[in-house]
Amino acid sequence: MAADGTADVETRARRDGAAAGGTAEIEIVGLTKVFGRGSEAARALDEVNLTVRRGEFFTLLGPSGCGKTTLLRMIAGFEQPTRGAIRIDGRDVAGLGPNRRPVNTVFQSYALFPHMTAAENIGFGLRMLGRPRREVEAKVAEMLRLVRMEPMANRRPAAISGGQQQRVALARALAPRPRVLLLDEPLSALDLKLRKEMQGELKRLQAETGITFVFVTHDQEEALTMSDRIAVMDRGRILQVGSPRAIYDRPADRFVADFIGDTNFLEAVVVRSVGDAATVRLPSGAVRAASVPEGLAPVAGGRVTVVVRPEHAALAEDGELVGVVEEAVYFGTDTHLHVRLDTGGRFTLRRQNMAGDHAPEPGAAVTIRIAESGLRVLRP
Amino acid sequence: MRERGFSIARIPGFGVVAALTFFLLYLPIVTLVVFSFNEAASLSRWGGFSLHWYETAFRNAQVRDVAWRSLWLATVAAGLATTLATMAALATTRTSRFKGQTMIYALINQPLMVPEIVTGVALLIVFAAIRVQTGYYGMGYLVLAHTAFCIPFAYLPIRARLETMDLTLERAAADLYASPWQVFRTVTLPLLLPGIVAGFMLAFVISLDTVVITEFVKAAGQDTLPTWMLGQLRRQVTPELNAIATVFLMLSVLAVTVFFILSRRRP
Ligand SMILES: Nc1ncnc2c1ncn2[C@@H]1O[C@H](COP(=O)(O)OP(=O)(O)OP(=O)(O)O)[C@@H](O)[C@H]1O
Ligand SMILES: [Mg+2]
């Protein structure tokens, strides 16, 4: 097992690199892609700047049509940029075909070769690299073990299930040990249970191989649970890059706040602003502290939008917000209360269900208290 | 669930017309086959079962000669046509759209649209000029004419197969370090092969069957089986022709069956 030993050392080295703040694996500078020309021109990517660190699980998250696939295809080399540069491991890859980039893709449709067995599919990349047969065979066996597909080694793709095809596609892309693995919504075709299972599997594979993963999804929960860092995209632009926590707790703007998790928006007036903290006056007149995005210095007296996550608010005897319950939706462990505020607008909060008590019925008047540090000012 | 829409099968008399059509279509063929086994030398009076005419045909040096020529010509022409058609199909589906693509599509399929007799006459005139100029009187002219005529028949099934093939497979191969040529050899070609064989079979049958063009292009002593049979009809007709036609029929049915099976198999 000498090979496994060296692989482990390599893996650890890569992960340490990532933990130490990270050498850049992929650097994207001013990347723009325009499809078509003249009046039909469509800007799929608009001045994208991005750095993916070595060994991290990086996720591109955004609604349909925001340019996730286009970005991935340009990193892989299937599409040429209109403007801008891509560097992989410090090397500009402009003009290099997909076969000459140290990057492998797991396609949404898997794209397994139907005329080859699972084992032949997995060995394809190594064979094309001209590796000796012994080495290919050993690597294929190792990969089959890694994705737990040894019993299916000699089956054709048509004779295995969707989840198994998914594993073979993963093993095929990992076998040549690329610097970067690109995954375009690899789980979207699977049912919920299999999807959960494969999410765990992907995390495990990433940790075991130490390869940089760039993962595309439009499922915010998937992004939050799996990623080291997330880039939120909309209409060809990157709106925010950060850890799942940072994105969730400190969304930079309204789109990010709205796209990730349930969110309440309140209109407020700035009372005072110092660095990344501010005091704001809510419509009800209450004055509260709120955190502020980096670099945004709100002026006192200016109008801003503040955001409150449902779990940062609770029913209380006295609080900042007063309203009437419009709807109470039972969710087992908790109940979602939709409240119409007396000052206008709606507010959603979650209330934990406890034995013997009941949530307020629609029509009940309630008071809502916002937790300490639960308020955040958004970029206008 | 029952289909509620328009169904041609519900029109009164549909069954009768259908039966009559099949009857008229296949009766002559059945008659032809049956009388190839006739003991007597008649095409209308049954004189008992015998393989006599097959034997006669087989022993007939002339028949053997033209049959070989037909098979050789069909193999060579279909092979060339299939190779060219494969390249044409790749060029019209696997490259980014280029100027004049539709025009090329129309040109490739020209033999399907221009009456055979026109093509025949045109070839006759051109080849006659070349013959005089070069003094070459060999089989090259027939090979050339048959190849050109067979290309669209080989092209259509190959192109159909290419169009249903998933492009991401070729992309995946490129992503896994295959050079463009390796992509073609390891992924495109194996997946395209049923289409190529189907195209070859169809081209083979078409070449075997072509009378008009051969008639115009052939030099003396270059009869193929169909043109030779046509010549024989002007003389005395015996069940020997039935026997030859029956063998011919079997060969065509076989090729068409292979074509049919291959073109229905999904990638
Ligand atoms: N080949 C193309 N020609 C023209 N427009 C294109 C092409 N490919 C993508 N686009 C456009 O570019 C935009 C981004 O597409 P892209 O496929 O990258 O979106 P996506 O974020 O992957 O969406 P989804 O989540 O639906 O897969 C879309 O508006 C799309 O219509
Ligand atoms: Mg996409």
Side-chain angles (χ1 to χ4, degrees):
Chain A
M1 291 286 118
D4 285 352
T6 46
D8 263 340
V9 171
E10 199 179 334
T11 302
R12 224 170 296 130
R14 284 197 188 193
R15 225 179 299 149
D16 290 348
T23 358
E25 185 84 87
I26 306 175
E27 289 170 272
I28 293 168
V29 186
L31 194 67
T32 299
K33 178 69 183 179
V34 181
F35 287 110
R37 47 186 81 208
S39 59
E40 284 178 27
R43 196 168 281 254
L45 287 179
D46 195 0
E47 291 290 324
V48 168
N49 295 299
L50 196 63
T51 302
V52 179
R53 295 174 195 151
R54 182 156 302 164
E56 77 175 333
F57 196 115
F58 191 91
T59 297
L60 296 170
L61 175 66
S64 187
C66 72
K68 306 181 296 287
T69 299
T70 305
L71 181 52
L72 223 56
R73 286 162 55 93
M74 289 209 278
I75 298 173
F78 301 133
E79 207 85 67
Q80 297 308 315
T82 307
R83 259 198 314 282
I86 300 172
R87 281 191 288 275
I88 300 174
D89 194 23
R91 181 156 157 248
D92 194 326
V93 292
L96 289 187
N99 55 321
R100 297 180 51 207
R101 299 188 181 195
V103 168
N104 288 156
T105 307
V106 177
F107 295 85
Q108 185 171 351
S109 57
Y110 313 146
L112 293 177
F113 306 124
H115 57 299
M116 297 180 200
T117 64
E120 285 165 347
N121 264 283
I122 295 171
F124 187 87
L126 292 165
R127 285 203 304 279
M128 291 304 120
L129 286 171
R131 298 286 163 76
R133 230 186 60 200
R134 294 278 297 280
E135 188 192 325
V136 175
E137 279 168 12
K139 192 76 193 173
V140 167
E142 183 195 327
M143 281 297 146
L144 282 165
R145 207 170 336 113
L146 192 67
V147 297
R148 310 194 176 109
M149 284 292 291
E150 295 116 308
M152 313 277 174
N154 294 317
R155 297 237 197 128
R156 295 271 173 95
I160 57 179
S161 75
Q164 291 164 342
Q165 288 179 29
Q166 176 64 258
R167 282 161 210 269
V168 174
L170 261 170
R172 182 179 72 175
L174 284 171
R177 266 203 94 75
R179 296 208 71 87
V180 181
L181 193 70
L182 306 174
L183 304 104
D184 193 358
E185 307 202 24
L187 307 181
S188 63
L190 304 178
D191 64 50
L192 193 64
K193 186 166 172 293
L194 203 54
R195 192 143 137 198
K196 293 278 171 226
E197 204 180 302
M198 284 305 296
Q199 287 178 0
E201 195 90 331
L202 274 179
K203 280 300 281 180
R204 178 178 70 85
L205 286 172
Q206 202 257 337
E208 276 178 34
T209 56
I211 291 172
T212 309
F213 276 36
V214 179
F215 181 84
V216 163
T217 183
H218 58 243
D219 179 337
Q220 45 118 349
E221 193 189 313
E222 200 165 271
L224 289 175
T225 55
M226 299 181 71
S227 323
D228 293 324
R229 290 198 306 149
I230 300 173
V232 183
M233 294 181 68
D234 183 39
R235 281 178 283 165
R237 291 167 170 277
I238 300 225
L239 301 180
Q240 190 175 1
V241 183
S243 69
R245 244 223 120 88
I247 299 258
Y248 186 83
D249 285 347
R250 300 190 295 282
D253 65 12
R254 194 175 180 117
F255 180 88
V256 176
D258 208 16
F259 193 71
I260 313 234
D262 294 329
T263 313
N264 296 297
F265 297 104
L266 297 170
E267 297 307 320
V269 177
V270 180
V271 177
R272 201 150 39 85
S273 159
V274 187
D276 67 346
T279 328
V280 296
R281 181 180 295 115
L282 299 178
S284 60
V287 175
R288 292 292 313 271
S291 65
V292 176
E294 207 177 304
L296 180 74
V299 251
R303 304 195 63 85
V304 288
T305 304
V306 292
V307 51
V308 184
R309 296 292 187 186
E311 62 275 18
H312 289 155
L315 296 182
E317 289 302 316
D318 79 308
E320 297 82 357
L321 307 170
V322 183
V324 176
V325 176
E326 269 191 339
E327 207 183 343
V329 187
Y330 181 70
F331 271 90
T333 57
D334 55 15
T335 300
H336 294 191
L337 296 172
H338 300 284
V339 177
R340 173 148 300 278
L341 299 176
D342 290 356
T343 51
R346 295 183 83 198
F347 196 95
T348 304
L349 73 159
R350 300 203 188 109
R351 183 179 179 280
Q352 181 105 37
N353 290 327
M354 276 176 281
D357 80 343
H358 353 204
E361 301 284 323
V366 291
T367 309
I368 299 165
R369 175 156 196 88
I370 298 168
E372 209 53 54
S373 77
L375 276 172
R376 180 167 177 82
V377 176
L378 291 181
R379 267 178 222 285
Chain B
M1 231 184 258
R2 284 279 302 277
E3 186 67 52
R4 298 303 301 157
F6 171 75
S7 166
I8 197 162
R10 283 211 298 271
I11 294 177
F14 173 80
V16 178
V17 172
L20 208 63
T21 308
F22 278 114
F23 187 70
L24 289 176
L25 212 54
Y26 285 103
L27 181 70
I29 296 178
V30 171
T31 317
L32 172 110
V33 173
V34 167
F35 277 92
S36 74
F37 297 108
N38 197 359
E39 172 81 59
S42 166
L43 290 180
S44 51
R45 203 171 28 74
W46 184 246
F49 179 87
S50 141
L51 289 176
H52 169 73
W53 296 112
Y54 285 88
E55 203 188 319
T56 319
F58 189 73
R59 284 182 192 288
N60 186 335
Q62 227 176 9
V63 172
R64 284 217 300 269
D65 179 51
V66 295
W68 274 124
R69 187 170 299 111
S70 266
L71 287 176
W72 179 87
L73 182 60
T75 309
V76 173
L80 284 173
T82 310
T83 309
L84 292 169
T86 304
M87 295 200 267
L90 284 168
T92 49
T93 56
R94 283 299 185 275
T95 55
S96 49
R97 286 194 66 83
F98 53 87
K99 227 175 150 163
Q101 206 166 13
T102 316
M103 168 90 148
I104 285 180
Y105 185 76
L107 282 177
I108 290 168
N109 290 307
Q110 171 273 341
L112 296 179
M113 278 150 306
V114 177
E116 229 176 296
I117 189 100
V118 175
T119 313
V121 171
L123 287 173
L124 174 74
I125 295 165
V126 174
F127 288 165
I130 298 176
R131 276 192 186 108
V132 171
Q133 290 291 316
T134 62
Y136 172 67
Y137 281 80
M139 284 293 285
Y141 302 104
L142 273 178
V143 169
L144 211 60
H146 275 228
T147 302
F149 188 68
C150 286
I151 283 175
F153 297 94
Y155 173 78
L156 291 175
I158 295 170
R159 186 187 157 106
R161 179 100 188 166
L162 267 176
E163 277 180 341
T164 59
M165 229 164 87
D166 187 1
L167 264 175
T168 48
L169 291 178
E170 284 156 69
R171 240 178 243 139
D175 189 55
L176 290 161
Y177 314 108
S179 65
W181 166 247
Q182 284 174 317
V183 173
F184 178 73
R185 198 171 46 76
T186 57
V187 175
T188 316
L189 191 62
L191 293 175
L192 192 57
L193 203 59
I196 293 177
V197 176
F200 178 86
M201 287 301 171
L202 202 58
F204 184 82
V205 172
I206 296 293
S207 164
L208 217 53
D209 191 48
T210 298
V211 175
V212 178
I213 289 187
T214 315
E215 201 56 64
F216 277 96
V217 173
K218 74 180 163 69
Q222 287 183 348
D223 261 317
T224 61
L225 201 53
T227 58
W228 180 80
M229 284 167 78
L230 211 58
Q232 290 301 298
L233 285 181
R234 297 198 197 101
R235 293 170 213 155
Q236 144 238 30
V237 179
T238 67
E240 186 182 353
L241 276 187
N242 293 35
I244 298 166
T246 303
V247 173
F248 209 67
L249 177 71
M250 293 307 153
L251 200 65
S252 302
V253 167
L254 188 74
V256 170
T257 308
V258 171
F259 160 76
F260 193 68
I261 291 170
L262 286 175
S263 57
R264 275 169 50 110
R265 216 165 64 183
R266 292 271 50 88

